[in-house]
Amino acid sequence: MGFEDRTCLITGSSRGIGSGIAEELADKGANVVINYRASAAAAEEVADRIRERGGEAMISQADVTDEAEVAAMHEEIDDAYGSVDVLINNAGINVDTMFSEMTRAEWDRVIEVDLTGAFVCTKEFFDDIAEAPEGRLINISSVVGKQGNLGQANYAAAKSGMFGLTRTLAIELADSGSTSNCVAPGFTETSMIEGIPERVRDRIRSEIPLGRFATIEEVAATVRFVASPEASYITGEVIDVNGGMDL
């Protein structure tokens, strides 16, 4: 799908959906940058899996909320591969607490990583995306940004904020021919799901028309399509991968 010689940066890609996206894009020929904040060993494991299959990958440390660290990551990528063609803002955390008990620190931490982190990285790489022949900005949100979820007011607010950021940047990038889109997964088979009690997982599954959680591969394949040249006329969209949860 035309990823040869294209450089793709996926933030927070040492595990979960981010690592799946990195492997999917590398398998299609991209130069992949696996960003991590603290888990260097996990990031290197993802890179090793890619290299074992003949792909090209590097790891790069940066806290997405730290402008200096993100700028240093930009320099490191530029030295290795040149400018970034595809930026995927995937880094995120959740700190779940009922709103009546949520502290300002718990609110700020999630907003800072999940939403402001996307701002910081997009600001740093905006010119790269605008100047790329097939520039792509992709924000990874969540069905929770549309529906809300018990105990996740901070997470829902951050993920919903990504919708407005995505659409505004689609307008601002349009003159360059580059696109900005959002992929919003539903509940996906990751370590986060594994920590949910089985009775709660059963209840969630019962609310999904397709009756199951998404796989990482299904989400990654959607991101790959949105990042591809074939998606050049899609911009400003929120693309759901949730098994029909919002029907």
Side-chain angles (χ1 to χ4, degrees):
M1 272 195 170
F3 284 94
E4 293 76 11
D5 299 321
R6 298 178 75 199
T7 297
C8 303
L9 165 61
I10 306 98
T11 67
S13 51
S14 63
R15 59 186 176 85
I17 289 173
S19 66
I21 294 170
E23 292 185 51
E24 175 74 17
L25 294 175
D27 285 347
K28 297 300 183 291
N31 301 320
V32 167
V33 182
I34 299 155
N35 160 255
Y36 68 97
R37 183 183 66 84
S39 50
E44 195 58 60
E45 286 179 9
V46 178
D48 285 343
R49 288 198 298 271
I50 289 170
R51 293 172 189 138
E52 286 170 3
R53 297 198 296 268
E56 178 62 39
M58 65 176 283
I59 69 172
S60 184
Q61 189 281 330
D63 181 334
V64 297
T65 70
D66 188 312
E67 294 179 34
E69 290 189 13
V70 173
M73 176 169 65
H74 194 174
E75 291 184 12
E76 184 179 23
I77 296 168
D78 197 61
D79 287 343
Y81 297 132
S83 61
V84 167
D85 300 282
V86 179
L87 169 63
I88 301 168
N89 287 312
N90 169 77
I93 62 168
N94 62 295
V95 181
D96 297 349
T97 311
M98 294 298 287
F99 186 77
S100 60
E101 299 177 4
M102 186 174 290
T103 66
R104 176 64 184 270
E106 290 168 336
W107 172 271
D108 285 348
R109 180 57 181 155
V110 173
I111 296 294
E112 181 74 2
V113 175
D114 293 23
L115 185 57
T116 304
F119 164 81
V120 171
C121 291
T122 304
K123 186 76 172 175
E124 177 65 35
F125 291 94
F126 187 84
D127 288 346
D128 280 20
I129 301 304
E131 293 168 9
E134 292 283 353
R136 299 284 185 268
L137 169 64
I138 303 172
N139 293 317
I140 306 300
S141 182
S142 168
V143 67
V144 173
K146 285 189 164 187
Q147 295 186 333
N149 197 36
L150 195 70
Q152 291 193 313
N154 46 9
Y155 184 77
K159 293 303 187 180
S160 182
M162 277 188 154
F163 301 155
L165 176 65
T166 296
R167 287 169 172 144
T168 298
L169 294 177
I171 296 168
E172 296 189 9
L173 282 168
D175 284 349
S176 72
S178 296
T179 66
S180 170
N181 288 290
C182 189
V183 173
F187 289 89
T188 306
E189 292 282 6
T190 64
S191 58
M192 189 181 297
I193 288 291
E194 291 171 3
I196 299 175
E198 185 60 35
R199 60 180 176 78
V200 178
R201 280 186 280 170
D202 288 343
R203 177 183 59 77
I204 295 170
R205 272 191 292 261
S206 73
E207 297 171 354
I208 302 172
L210 286 181
R212 64 175 178 83
F213 301 135
T215 66
I216 289 174
E217 291 78 12
E218 287 170 326
V219 177
T222 303
V223 173
R224 181 250 302 151
F225 171 70
V226 176
S228 73
E230 284 80 357
S232 61
Y233 203 58
I234 300 172
T235 196
E237 295 297 326
V238 176
I239 300 167
D240 298 312
V241 189
N242 62 32
M245 280 190 72
D246 56 350
L247 294 176

